[in-house]
Amino acid sequence: MASFEFFAPCPRGLEEALAAELAELGRLAPVSVGKQVPGGVHFAGPWAAGMAANLHSRIASRVLLRVAQQGYRSEQDIYEFALRQRWEEWFGYQQTLRVDVTGIKAPVRSLEFITLRIKDAVCDRLREKTGARPNIDTSEPDVRVFAFLTATDATLYLDTSGEALFKRGWRLDKGAAPLRENLAAGILRLAGWRTDTAADMVLYDPMCGSGTFLAEAAQIALGVPAGAGRRFGFEKLKGYDITAWQTLKVQAAEAQRDARVRGVPSTIFGSDISGDMLVKARANLERAGVGDIGLKQVDARDMSPPVDRPGIIVANPPYGERIEVRGRRGPRDGRDGRDDDERYSPEVQGNRGGFQRNQPDGVDAEFFRAFGDALKQRFTGWSAYLLTADMSLPGQMRLRESRRTPLYNGALECRLFRFDLIAGSVRKRGDSESKGEDSAPQA
Ligand SMILES: C[S@@+](CC[C@H](N)C(=O)[O-])C[C@H]1O[C@@H](n2cnc3c(N)ncnc32)[C@H](O)[C@@H]1O
């Protein structure tokens, strides 16, 4: 059986979690997990391994098939290297093409120029072998070629995913600042939420927005394949293993059928202050096949445990200018009968200068202090996992984290703070709020 080299990019910080997830695919196809590099994991196996990763990985952003690797000295070397590859064995001139290039310390004039040269090489090759050049389509191409350049080597990849894998096919409405599905899934894994553990755990997202954590958590608990609701780029390529794909699809359909019979676990809960967001979350959850999740409109400061046994809280609270904390209290809170959406819409409130970070007397500090108090007072025995780019969050919440994990939300450097809400974890009033900020990041 032919073996291929694959590379799966993922959000930075989730490489180890992705490697573990890929190793678990061994139950479906022979997979040999290789090196982890910042932002991805190498693996090898037959076509079935690459297809299973596309269908089942919740953490990978894509699955790339390695075509060839070679040293280079000049831009012409890269053109000739790309020209030598047998692209015609994978696709024809009738299919549209897109080329993307990334590089680290690559001694080239510009990556844009290399992108053009590789595109020329692929098109020249197809014209020579098949009589015509493919058209370029940068928005919805049939085929994507990726190149990765280091200071000395060029590697060419054929994309097997098509649209990025975090696009599961169920998101209708994004809301203001949705979390990428693969980052949410990675966080759930770091929090110990896996197919074999989820049945016994309680999960609550008190700022659930469009419902990303909830949809991922429910699908994981039910064993629904991440990509069950979408198509993949390899389905447009010539050489993939159709028989193995049929087998994987039948297994996926069976898993979905079993999931429908079992129904969504009654241990997953979400709330948000915004009724609009909850409408969006409900639509998304229904499309993801997990519409039975309990949702409630609650200000996170007033939250209480949804069941009488401890579990985990996962959330990415509002941060920075992307989205603001709503439902502010204090002197500005007139409780005038308007709902929070209206009261804090820009038209009503005017420009409030965005989100103020780490200002103990500011309104946002008040939110995080009150949110921290709610955790301390009502969630004893729970663990909370909060993703934020605000490194001062533990200080603002007056809670000491038991772990901080660096993660990237796109280009935004974040931390996943874990708080174990046991007696004694509560930071005393007046205690230095910088303690949490000063502790060294743990990988
Ligand atoms: C960054 S978004 C969360 C995005 C969500 N994880 C998703 O994937 O769509 C923050 C959410 O916090 C909600 N929020 C803001 N202030 C709140 C409050 N006081 N109580 C509860 N939710 C609040 C917002 O409505 C928004 O949906």
Side-chain angles (χ1 to χ4, degrees):
M1 196 187 294
S3 185
F4 298 91
E5 302 280 329
F6 296 97
F7 178 68
C10 68
R12 273 175 66 194
L14 290 178
E15 298 83 0
E16 207 179 315
L18 172 58
E21 193 191 50
L22 290 171
E24 285 167 12
L25 293 180
R27 70 186 193 282
L28 299 166
V31 179
S32 165
V33 179
K35 220 169 122 191
Q36 296 170 32
V37 295
V41 179
H42 293 273
F43 68 101
W47 250 115
M51 295 187 297
N54 271 299
L55 182 58
H56 289 274
S57 174
R58 293 194 167 268
I59 300 175
S61 305
R62 294 187 169 276
V63 176
L64 306 176
L65 170 72
R66 196 171 88 156
V67 173
Q69 185 174 46
Q70 192 186 282
Y72 72 96
R73 292 229 181 96
S74 67
E75 288 150 347
Q76 183 63 15
D77 287 350
I78 296 175
Y79 170 83
E80 285 167 15
F81 169 50
L83 187 68
R84 275 197 306 278
Q85 306 312 315
R86 297 199 288 260
W87 302 107
E88 66 280 2
E89 291 180 2
W90 295 109
F91 56 95
Y93 66 83
Q94 305 89 338
Q95 284 158 295
T96 55
L97 174 69
R98 172 182 168 137
V99 176
D100 287 280
V101 180
T102 52
I104 298 176
K105 296 185 183 152
V108 295
R109 248 178 293 174
S110 80
L111 293 179
E112 287 73 26
F113 182 65
I114 295 297
T115 307
L116 288 177
R117 295 302 286 148
I118 294 175
K119 184 210 69 171
D120 285 345
V122 176
C123 292
D124 290 350
R125 171 86 192 195
L126 280 185
R127 190 182 49 195
E128 187 194 318
K129 298 290 174 189
T130 67
R133 296 166 67 93
N135 287 326
I136 301 299
D137 181 345
T138 52
S139 59
E140 287 181 19
D142 295 323
V143 177
R144 292 167 201 251
V145 167
F146 282 84
F148 177 64
L149 307 182
T150 64
T152 54
D153 290 295
T155 311
L156 292 169
Y157 294 99
L158 201 50
D159 171 47
T160 69
S161 301
E163 280 218 287
L165 292 179
F166 55 80
K167 297 186 182 169
R168 311 282 200 228
W170 52 255
R171 192 181 285 288
L172 260 184
D173 201 318
K174 292 184 171 46
L179 200 58
R180 281 193 177 165
E181 289 76 352
N182 58 341
L183 183 54
I187 290 170
L188 289 170
R189 194 176 176 102
L190 295 179
W193 186 266
R194 299 191 332 207
T195 315
D196 52 341
T197 57
D200 303 323
M201 287 171 82
V202 175
L203 182 140
Y204 176 34
D205 180 352
M207 292 171 245
C208 70
S210 62
T212 316
F213 279 122
L214 306 177
E216 290 295 314
Q219 287 200 342
I220 293 167
L222 288 171
V224 174
R230 55 165 280 164
R231 309 294 303 258
F232 301 96
F234 65 77
E235 295 176 79
K236 292 186 177 167
L237 296 177
K238 283 182 190 169
Y240 76 98
D241 183 342
I242 296 180
T243 313
W245 180 227
Q246 292 307 336
T247 307
L248 286 166
K249 280 213 300 195
V250 168
Q251 287 165 344
E254 280 167 9
Q256 278 183 290
R257 215 177 27 243
D258 292 350
R260 271 195 296 275
V261 173
R262 266 182 292 148
V264 178
S266 56
T267 51
I268 301 175
F269 304 89
S271 62
D272 199 284
I273 198 167
S274 160
D276 289 351
M277 288 310 302
L278 292 174
V279 170
K280 288 170 185 166
R282 175 63 63 216
N284 283 330
L285 294 172
E286 261 157 31
R287 278 170 56 93
V290 293
D292 286 343
I293 291 176
L295 297 180
K296 208 168 163 186
Q297 187 170 7
V298 181
D299 186 325
R301 291 167 295 189
D302 301 329
M303 65 180 183
S304 49
V307 282
D308 60 5
R309 66 186 170 100
I312 56 170
I313 284 181
V314 282
N316 68 308
Y319 169 73
E321 45 298 319
R322 295 179 70 196
I323 188 161
E324 296 178 62
V325 172
R326 296 183 183 172
R328 289 176 171 134
R329 290 176 178 149
R332 289 196 199 177
D333 186 351
R335 291 285 165 209
D336 52 9
R338 289 178 296 187
D339 78 8
D340 285 314
D341 283 332
E342 188 190 348
R343 185 182 301 116
Y344 294 109
S345 71
E347 302 78 54
V348 175
Q349 195 72 16
N351 180 3
R352 289 175 292 122
F355 182 83
Q356 320 250 307
R357 265 179 280 151
N358 201 20
Q359 294 184 1
D361 299 326
V363 279
D364 298 304
E366 186 277 323
F367 169 79
F368 284 111
R369 180 171 286 212
F371 178 59
D373 287 347
L375 287 175
K376 283 177 251 178
Q377 287 158 12
R378 299 192 281 278
F379 286 83
T380 307
W382 287 65
S383 290
Y385 294 83
L386 304 181
L387 180 77
T388 181
D390 187 344
M391 306 299 162
S392 71
L393 190 81
Q396 292 189 58
M397 289 170 55
R398 296 182 302 162
L399 275 171
R400 185 164 298 132
E401 77 276 17
S402 57
R403 190 173 173 88
R404 49 165 73 189
T405 307
L407 288 179
Y408 280 76
N409 185 4
L412 195 61
E413 185 179 349
C414 296
R415 294 288 179 274
L416 179 67
F417 289 108
R418 171 179 170 162
F419 302 98
D420 291 318
L421 299 158
I422 45 176
S425 68
V426 177
R427 194 174 278 173
K428 285 195 209 101
R429 190 179 281 274
D431 200 0
S432 163
E433 296 208 336
S434 66
K435 272 186 190 159
E437 293 146 49
D438 291 340
S439 56
Q442 300 165 18

